[in-house]
Amino acid sequence: MSRKKVADIIIETLAEAGVKHCYGIVGDTLNHITDAIRRSPIEWVHMRHEEAGAMAAGGEALITGRLTACAGTCGPGSLHFVNGLFEAHRNRAPVVLIATQVATAEMGMDFPQEVDLKPIYDTCSHFCSYIHHPAQARRVTALAAQAALNRRGAAVIIVPGDISSAEVEEGLAFRPHVPTPVLRPSDAELDAMAERINAGKRVTVYCGSGCEGAHDEVVALAERIQAPVAHTSRAKDFIEPHNPYNVGMTGIIGEPSGFRAIDACDTLLLLGADFAWSQFYPHEATLIQVDSDATHLGRRHPVDLGVVGHVRETLQALLPRLHPREDHAFLRNSLRVRADTRGREQGEEHAGHDGLIHPQYLTALIDRHADDDAVFTADGGSPMVWLLRHVRSNGRRRTLTSLVHGTMANAMPSALGIKKALPQRQVIALCGDGGLAMLLGDLLTAVQECIPIKVVVYNNGSLGFVEMEQKVEGLLDAYTDLKNPDFARLADAMGIYGRRVEGADTLEEAVRDVLSRPGPALLDVRVNRYELVMPPKIEPGQVLHTALYSAKAVLSGRGDEVGELLRSNFID
C-alpha cells in the first residue's frame, strides 16, 4: 500500500468532497498543508486577515451550497477565524476550517503560540476534532466534511504541525456521504395540521429560510387557503419573487404589512422559520410549526402543533387535505396594507433637499442599475435594512447579510468569497463606514487575487445603527462618531477604482459608473447621518424615549441635531 503525507490526504479528501477554494494566511505549522494545496485542484486565496477569510469562505459556501475551506497557522492565526466561523456556522454555510497547532511534543507545555483550540471551536461547529495520529487523517477529514455538508454549518480539523508532515499508509477509503432523504410528518400529523388550518378564519403563512426550494408549494398553499405570506429576512430570496400573496417581512427591521398580517391572524403556519423575537408573534392565535429539526419546535414561542419535515415535501402532502377557501377578505386587506407599505418605502427613494443623500435613494439606484442576477451583501446595521427593504428580489438575485450572528464587517469579505466562486455574476457589497474600516485591509485581497467586487460605502460618519439605538433608549449618542478617510482616495492608493459622491445630483451617474467598471471598484457616498430606521410598529415607549433624547440634546447644546433629525425624516 502506498504512503502519503497527512497534508496530502487531508487536501485530497476535501477536494473529493467538492472544495474549490481555501481562504487563509500561510504560516509555519500550515506550510505542509499549503504545499499540498499548491499541488491540488483546490485554489488558495491569500487573505489579509483570517476573520475575513472565514467570512469569504462562508459567503461562497452559503451562495453555492458547496463545501468551502479556510486554513490558518497555530495560535493567533487559527484563533483569528473565530468570528468569521461563527458567522458561517449561524448562517448554516458548510465550511471546514483547517486549524493547525504546535507540534505534539510541545502541546500542554505552554509553548509559544499554543492555544487549546478545541473548546473554543466546539462552540461554533458541528464537528471539531484533533488528528491525534497520522492514521486518522482521512477518517477525521471525511467526518468533518460530512458534518458540515449534512448538518449545514462549520466543521474544524485541528492538525499539529508535525502530524501534517508525517507519512502514513493510505488506509481505508473513508469519504463523506451526503444523502437526500424525504422528510415529512406522519399522515396523522398532516390531518391534524389540515384540521386546524381549515378551521381558521384568518390564516397567515410565515416563511423562513427553510422554505428554500419550496417557492411554488408556498404560493400554491396561499392560493388554496387565500392566505397572506409573510417572511423572515433570510427568506427574502426564496419567497418574495413572483409571489402575489407576499406581504413582506416582520420583526425589528421588518415592515408594517408583514407585522400586521401576523399580528391580526387567528392561525399562523410557521414554515422553516426559527424567528427569535417572541414579541412579534400573535398574542391569540393557533400556531402550527414545520421544521426539519425537532429541537426548534416551540423554542421561540409556544406552538399548538409542531411537526418535523422539509417544507416542500410537507406542503405537497398537506395541500390535498386543505379545503379551498372562498372568503378573501383577510387576504385582500393584508395586500392593501402591503401596497400602502411599498408606497411609503418607494416614497423614501428620492433625493433630499439641497442635495442630501438619503440611503434609501442610494439603495434604490443600486437596485435599478444592478444586474438581474446580481448578488448583494450588506454589513450588519443600517445597510442591511436598506438592502432588505429597497433591493428587489426576482428569483435570480441573491442577498447575504449577518442576520443571525449580527456581526460588523461581513459585507466586503463575504463578497470576495462569492465573487471568487461565481466570477460571472456581479457582486455588490453595501458597507457601513465602520464595517469597512474594521477589515479594510482585505480590500487588498480584491487587488492581489483579481476579484472584481463592487463596494458601496454608506458613509455617515457614525456607527449609525448604534446611534439610533441609543436615541430610542432616550440616551444621548456617545462614542459613535467616526473620523473617516476619503475611502475613494484610499481605494485608488490600493489599486482599486474609487469615486466619492457628496451630493445627490451626481449620484445616479456615479452608481452606473462604478457598477460598470471591469475591475474592483468602490463608491464612497456621504449619506444622511440622521436617517431613522423605522420599525414596523411604533411603541409608545419608543416615542417617549426619542422625545427624551431630543430634550437632552437641546439641554446639552445639541439642538441642531434635533432639527436635522426632524428635517431628514419628517420634513424633507
Side-chain angles (χ1 to χ4, degrees):
M1 187 175 290
S2 63
R3 296 175 66 84
K4 285 185 177 179
K5 275 187 181 180
V6 164
D8 290 310
I9 291 172
I10 292 170
I11 298 307
E12 178 184 294
T13 306
L14 291 178
E16 290 173 352
V19 172
K20 302 295 184 187
H21 301 111
C22 183
Y23 299 82
I25 299 176
V26 297
D28 50 2
T29 56
L30 188 62
N31 287 339
H32 288 276
I33 300 289
T34 50
D35 184 64
I37 291 173
R38 180 182 60 81
R39 294 177 281 103
S40 80
I42 296 175
E43 184 179 353
W44 177 263
V45 185
H46 184 175
M47 306 296 296
R48 298 305 176 102
H49 195 295
E50 289 92 348
E51 179 181 345
M55 288 182 177
E60 173 175 336
L62 182 73
I63 297 299
T64 66
R66 68 177 175 237
L67 185 66
T68 306
C70 48
T73 189
C74 63
S78 290
L79 198 60
H80 274 159
F81 286 97
V82 67
N83 189 56
L85 205 69
F86 258 107
E87 172 72 5
H89 187 58
R90 301 188 82 174
N91 277 339
R92 304 186 74 243
V95 170
V96 61
L97 167 64
I98 305 169
T100 59
Q101 180 59 282
V102 299
T104 51
E106 304 296 346
M107 289 170 59
M109 297 291 111
D110 198 22
F111 194 74
Q113 293 194 312
E114 181 188 4
V115 175
D116 187 359
L117 297 168
K118 191 173 189 316
I120 296 168
Y121 282 113
D122 268 336
T123 63
C124 59
S125 65
H126 292 304
F127 179 96
C128 181
S129 177
Y130 276 88
I131 296 179
H132 294 282
H133 188 278
Q136 295 178 315
R138 191 177 300 277
R139 187 177 185 180
V140 169
T141 306
L143 291 175
Q146 185 164 286
L149 287 165
N150 286 290
R151 300 186 67 186
R152 310 301 293 181
V156 182
I157 306 165
I158 306 173
V159 191
D162 57 323
I163 295 287
S164 67
S165 63
E167 288 193 353
V168 66
E169 291 185 353
E170 288 199 61
L172 297 174
F174 289 102
R175 66 185 189 282
H177 297 272
V178 188
T180 55
V182 174
L183 186 64
R184 72 166 182 83
S186 68
D187 287 343
E189 290 171 321
L190 289 166
D191 290 340
M193 291 175 66
E195 181 181 357
R196 287 168 170 80
I197 294 170
N198 288 331
K201 302 299 183 185
R202 301 182 307 280
V203 182
T204 294
V205 180
Y206 188 37
C207 295
S209 60
C211 289
E212 182 177 2
H215 172 277
D216 292 351
E217 286 74 18
V218 169
V219 172
L221 169 70
E223 180 178 14
R224 176 170 285 262
I225 63 174
Q226 292 295 293
V229 179
H231 60 83
T232 65
S233 307
R234 296 179 70 207
K236 173 183 173 73
D237 297 354
F238 316 126
I239 296 303
E240 187 175 282
H242 315 301
N243 182 356
Y245 306 97
N246 172 50
V247 294
M249 303 177 295
T250 189
I252 294 171
I253 60 174
E255 300 159 297
S257 52
F259 172 81
R260 184 213 177 269
I262 290 178
D263 190 59
C265 74
D266 65 14
T267 306
L268 181 64
L269 177 58
L270 296 159
L271 299 177
D274 191 34
F275 181 70
W277 284 270
S278 59
Q279 65 266 37
F280 289 97
Y281 287 81
H283 297 296
E284 295 181 7
T286 298
L287 267 63
I288 306 164
Q289 184 177 3
V290 180
D291 202 287
S292 61
D293 187 341
T295 65
H296 289 182
L297 299 176
R299 76 169 179 166
R300 305 301 190 186
H301 190 281
V303 300
D304 297 278
L305 176 62
V307 299
V308 172
H310 293 140
V311 173
R312 182 170 179 266
E313 289 78 6
T314 298
L315 294 187
Q316 287 173 345
L318 177 65
L319 276 166
R321 294 170 159 85
L322 298 176
H323 302 153
R325 193 177 300 274
E326 301 297 332
D327 184 358
H328 304 168
F330 182 60
L331 173 62
R332 186 169 58 251
N333 290 335
S334 298
L335 292 175
R336 184 164 53 245
V337 176
R338 175 60 178 168
D340 292 343
T341 297
R342 284 298 299 135
R344 284 195 294 273
E345 290 174 346
Q346 289 168 351
E348 298 169 356
E349 298 169 355
H350 64 87
H353 183 64
D354 291 334
L356 181 74
I357 299 175
H358 293 295
Q360 301 95 316
Y361 178 53
L362 169 59
T363 311
L365 291 176
I366 295 167
D367 171 67
R368 184 183 309 164
H369 296 292
D371 291 349
D372 282 343
D373 65 347
V375 184
F376 301 85
T377 65
D379 275 337
S382 54
M384 169 179 69
V385 179
W386 310 135
L387 166 63
L388 292 169
R389 290 184 180 177
H390 299 279
V391 169
R392 294 168 296 116
S393 292
N394 59 10
R396 301 177 64 202
R397 289 176 166 180
R398 291 296 308 273
T399 59
L400 172 57
T401 62
S402 182
L403 287 160
V404 181
H405 191 46
T407 187
M408 285 179 65
N410 57 291
M412 182 267 292
S414 296
L416 290 171
I418 295 166
K419 185 64 177 178
K420 189 69 179 177
L422 302 173
Q424 76 284 5
R425 302 272 290 272
Q426 185 182 59
V427 181
I428 305 168
L430 310 185
C431 299
D433 44 2
L436 182 65
M438 183 176 281
L439 289 175
L440 186 63
D442 269 283
L443 277 178
L444 291 168
T445 301
V447 178
Q448 178 161 332
E449 295 289 332
C450 301
I451 306 175
I453 59 171
K454 313 304 176 192
V455 176
V456 181
V457 187
Y458 287 65
N459 190 342
N460 59 10
S462 72
L463 298 173
F465 207 76
V466 177
E467 190 168 272
M468 181 195 67
E469 290 171 333
Q470 291 175 346
K471 291 173 180 176
V472 170
E473 288 292 321
L475 304 172
L476 285 176
D477 47 291
Y479 315 123
T480 58
D481 286 350
L482 295 175
K483 187 174 183 179
N484 289 324
D486 183 325
F487 288 107
R489 293 178 63 189
L490 198 60
D492 284 335
M494 292 181 174
I496 295 171
Y497 176 78
R499 182 162 176 177
R500 182 176 173 87
V501 176
E502 297 188 0
D505 55 335
T506 61
L507 183 59
E508 183 163 13
E509 187 273 327
V511 168
R512 287 198 305 265
D513 175 35
V514 167
L515 293 185
S516 65
R517 291 278 162 173
L522 180 146
L523 178 61
D524 181 7
V525 183
R526 185 176 178 181
V527 298
N528 178 29
R529 176 170 181 164
Y530 299 99
E531 203 75 40
L532 287 176
V533 177
M534 304 300 287
K537 181 183 180 184
I538 306 297
E539 300 287 352
Q542 293 172 322
V543 177
L544 176 63
H545 288 149
T546 304
L548 182 60
Y549 154 77
S550 300
K552 288 180 179 179
V554 170
L555 291 173
S556 300
R558 291 164 58 177
D560 56 332
E561 294 183 10
V562 177
E564 193 59 44
L565 185 72
L566 292 171
R567 282 191 296 274
S568 296
N569 295 277
F570 305 108
I571 300 173
D572 194 17

